[in-house]
Amino acid sequence: MLKRALAIILLLIVGYWLAQGLAGVPFGQDKMLVGQYYLDNVKQQTGAVNAVTAVVVNYRGFDTLGEVTVLFIASTGVGALLWRKKKKRTAKTEGSIVLTTGTRLLVPFVMLFGAYIFIHGHLTPGGGFPGGATIATAFLLLYLAFITYEIPHKGFEKTEGLAGMGYVIVGLIGLSIGGYFLFDWIWQTWNFGTENVGRLLSGGFIPIIYTIIGLKVGTELSGIIDNMLKEEVSE
Amino acid sequence: MNALAAIGEILVLLGTFFYFLSALGLIRMPDVYNRMQTSTKSATLGSLGVLVGVGIWALGTDFGSIPWLTKTIVIAVFLLLTNPISAHALIRAAYKSGIPLWEGSVVDKYREHLEAKEREEVEAPEAPEETPAEEGGEE
């Protein structure tokens, strides 16, 4: 009781402190310094209509590379923590026939929608991370509806590694052509798609990188699900 | 305001009305199964009304276009397919985890079926493996 009361009082103090700090910040006013530059130049410099993905992939590509690395480490860490010699699915009861049939019907559409999200990252909201998470959701559905389903491990782990390498390779090609890492060579050097900004075949290397990231995130999260849904079998 | 916008507005109004009924059923009904029954059905219907209504409503205004309607119909079909499955899974899980029926319920055929199957298994242990009978809704 005393612990809880102390915690509430402490939280109230911290909240009041934060509110005092934020009280002086004006909301709804034009205070953009760097943001205005992004909004003014995003179409000519990157070819993307979606300013967020342009910033995330083009202007600040290092952050995205770091995020992908964090995800990779998380997946590897889960794999290392839950490493056992013989593992099996633990589900004992079959799902009902409505559930399995519905899953069978829905999974291709969920995957299609995930692919749509990461391919259209430069045009619509979303990008590689939501698209990859949607694809992982399809695999989670398969795992939850069927008792024996298991992702094809060989192909999955290879795809994951190849996608991660692909991102770095795209960056390194930019380094050799343009002089710095993650230089958008498709847009800046080839001028590919300059005449159809706002359509699918534009946006420089954003669709390519987002396809890579989508595959990587999808396979990674599916791998985490796979690791967590298994248990050791005693022999 | 033209006819399309008017139709859309009426559909959205109907949809929100069914949303309200769904929330009301969640409070009003006595047990889990009745609550699921009232809330899922009317929420599905309400979403369909609101989504398709928004698409038609947008067609009637000057910024609306056919892609609006297409997108809303795609979302509506997705909800129409997935909502009943999730409701089915939730109710089935509730029954399997032993949540009792409302005391006013008079018949529980699923329990009778399960008990009959258990009895059969006790009487004839080496029965040829019967396919696990799938009982759908217990509504």
Side-chain angles (χ1 to χ4, degrees), chain B residues 2-30:
Chain B
N2 53 22
L4 280 173
I7 292 172
E9 284 176 19
I10 290 169
L11 275 175
V12 170
L13 193 66
L14 270 178
T16 44
F17 175 65
F18 274 102
Y19 276 148
F20 173 72
L21 285 187
S22 146
L24 190 67
L26 214 54
I27 303 167
R28 173 71 187 76
M29 284 297 159

Side-chain angles (χ1 to χ4, degrees), chain A residues 95-99 102 105-106, chain B residues 78 81-82 85 88-89 92 134:
Chain A
S96 73
I97 194 152
V98 176
L99 198 65
L105 192 72
L106 274 171
Chain B
F78 185 75
L81 288 179
T82 50
I85 299 175
H88 164 84
R92 199 176 151 86
E134 294 296 342

